[in-house]
Structure formats: C-alpha cells, structure tokens
Amino acid sequence: MKRINNNSFIQDYRDHFNLSTIISDDLMGSMELLEYAPGEIIYDVEEEPEYFFILVEGRLKISLQLVHGKSILLRLYHPPSILGDLEFVENRTVKTHVEAMTQARLIGIKMNRLRQATHDDPRFLRYLLSHLGKKLHDLTVITAIHRTSPLEKRLAHYLVLMEHSDNDRGNKELIPSNLTELAELLGVSYRHLHRTVTKLVEADIIENHHGALTIRDMKRLREILSIEHQNT
C-alpha cells in the first residue's frame, strides 16, 4: 500500500464522483488517498478496519472464505464503491476478504473520525442505508445462484437474473468482465465454464463476445430453469 500525498488528486476524485453530496466538506482534511497494487489485500477476515474506504480507481474483488479452504467470490467493486459500511454501523471486525484486482486507489477516512463526524448526518446515513440495501440484494442473488446446480442451470439462472435486474440496484458489482471472473463468481473452473458457455453458444441461446455474454433466446434459457424445477 502506498499513500499519495496530493490533496489536488483527492479534490479531483471528490468532484468527479460528486462525493460532496455524501460526505461533508468538514471531512476533507481527514481524507487520505491510498494506492494498492494488484493482489494486495485491503481488508482481511477478522481484522478491525482502520479506514472506511471509497474506491475511486481500479477494481476490487470481495470473497468469503469457507471452512474447507475454498472461497466464494461475492462481489466485484468498481468506482465509486464503499467499503467498511457494515463495520462502520456495527463496529465489528471484517467478515470478508477484499483484494485489489488491478492497481486501485481508495479514499480512506479513519473509522473513529467518520463516526464522530457523521453520527447525525442525514445525507451520509441515507447513502449508507441505500448502499446496504444494494448489498443485501446482491447477496440474495449470489445465494440463489450458488443453490442452483448443475452448472448449465446455474449459468442460466445468473443470466436471467442479470437480464431482469434493475440497473439502479447496483448489480454492476455482479457483472464480471471476462469468463475467468465469472467462473470464480459461480464457483467453478474456467474450463468447466468455457465448455458450458460453448454449448449454449452452439445452441444459439447466448452469444459470447470476448467473455461478455448476451442472451439470444430468453425462452430457451428459461426452459433450462424449468427443467430444473420439474426434476426437484
């Protein structure tokens, strides 16, 4: 992690993402700009977070560590996203693993300072509540996907959910940019996912544009899910 001592950068990010509508100008002097290299850990499980973060550049992945050593990818973060919301509200340790996928820059505010400054700030609290609602919605989506099997049905479930999700619900965090990320999101190997995607492409149900999947035949995609329900 590298600290960037340049207040003009922080001001540029604040203006670009209109952060002044969320965080008061009084906290400007408490903002720090931190840069993380790809693969560097931002939050780890059971640590007490020092900072509340706003992602302003780069991409992060948030995963849940399972007892048998594997992990489930929960979300992909793009700017502007916030980290530390649950920890801020509940004053608890971190329960997920947050890692930089690319070089990432985050504006950080010390947790204690933020709590002192925003405990009765309606703008910030409304934004926090909205973000927590989106996070709950996305977690519901991920839970539904991981309960669906085999992979063809799981992929169909994911695509149908993404097709019909309202754009303002924050599902950008659930849309990977390539098949490698989607494989991690679905909890399978890249090779297994690639075979399944190829099968659906050859059946003219979906299209694959360099890892970006689009639906060509929603009716037949839904039929894959209906077969699941008939067999349960």
Side-chain angles (χ1 to χ4, degrees):
M1 182 267 287
K2 180 174 69 175
R3 184 171 280 100
I4 300 175
N5 297 311
N6 190 322
N7 287 335
S8 66
F9 281 176
I10 294 177
Q11 186 62 56
D12 288 344
Y13 286 125
R14 289 181 79 241
D15 293 342
H16 180 71
F17 293 112
N18 203 20
L19 297 181
S20 60
T21 63
I22 304 166
I23 298 176
S24 69
D25 293 338
D26 294 342
L27 284 168
M28 177 66 184
S30 301
M31 292 182 175
E32 301 176 40
L33 185 60
L34 307 176
E35 185 174 272
Y36 290 81
E40 196 167 358
I41 297 170
I42 293 142
Y43 285 160
D44 210 353
V45 178
E46 296 302 338
E47 76 172 39
E48 293 186 6
E50 183 180 5
Y51 289 95
F52 179 96
F53 284 120
I54 303 169
L55 175 65
V56 292
E57 191 173 313
R59 303 174 70 224
L60 311 177
K61 65 178 180 180
I62 291 77
S63 57
L64 180 66
Q65 308 298 307
L66 303 179
V67 291
H68 48 67
K70 292 186 178 182
S71 63
I72 295 175
L73 182 64
L74 296 178
R75 297 165 68 87
L76 302 170
Y77 274 174
H78 308 253
S81 296
I82 64 174
L83 293 83
D85 46 1
L86 285 173
E87 294 77 12
F88 172 84
V89 172
E90 297 188 348
N91 197 17
R92 70 177 198 180
T93 58
V94 176
K95 301 303 179 186
T96 54
H97 179 88
V98 182
E99 180 181 324
M101 300 178 67
T102 64
Q103 180 175 291
R105 286 184 175 183
L106 300 97
I107 291 177
I109 305 172
K110 294 284 183 71
M111 281 285 189
N112 289 339
R113 171 69 180 120
L114 188 64
R115 288 192 181 100
Q116 292 170 359
T118 62
H119 71 279
D120 59 354
D121 183 340
R123 292 183 306 169
F124 178 75
L125 296 177
R126 276 197 301 268
Y127 178 78
L128 200 63
L129 183 61
S130 173
H131 190 271
L132 287 170
K134 291 175 182 178
K135 181 176 286 188
L136 177 60
H137 175 269
D138 291 347
L139 183 59
T140 302
V141 171
I142 288 295
T143 301
I145 290 169
H146 279 280
R147 290 182 63 185
T148 309
S149 60
L151 179 57
E152 183 176 277
K153 296 182 178 66
R154 205 181 314 169
L155 178 59
H157 196 174
Y158 170 84
L159 292 172
V160 170
L161 285 169
M162 291 302 99
E163 179 73 14
H164 291 285
S165 289
D166 193 353
N167 288 333
D168 66 4
R169 293 297 299 169
N171 280 319
K172 189 177 183 181
E173 289 89 356
L174 296 179
I175 303 176
S177 62
N178 55 56
L179 291 185
T180 300
E181 292 175 8
L182 181 56
E184 192 171 353
L185 184 68
L186 297 176
V188 298
S189 68
Y190 172 85
R191 183 175 297 180
H192 189 184
L193 176 61
H194 189 269
R195 286 198 303 266
T196 303
V197 167
T198 301
K199 178 182 176 182
L200 294 180
V201 169
E202 291 174 349
D204 206 29
I205 296 174
I206 65 173
E207 289 182 357
N208 179 11
H209 301 281
H210 305 291
L213 305 182
T214 55
I215 299 171
R216 285 185 56 85
D217 193 330
M218 177 62 79
K219 180 181 178 182
R220 292 172 65 199
L221 195 65
R222 286 185 175 279
E223 286 174 354
I224 294 173
L225 294 177
S226 67
I227 291 170
E228 172 199 3
H229 294 314
Q230 290 169 12
N231 292 336
T232 56

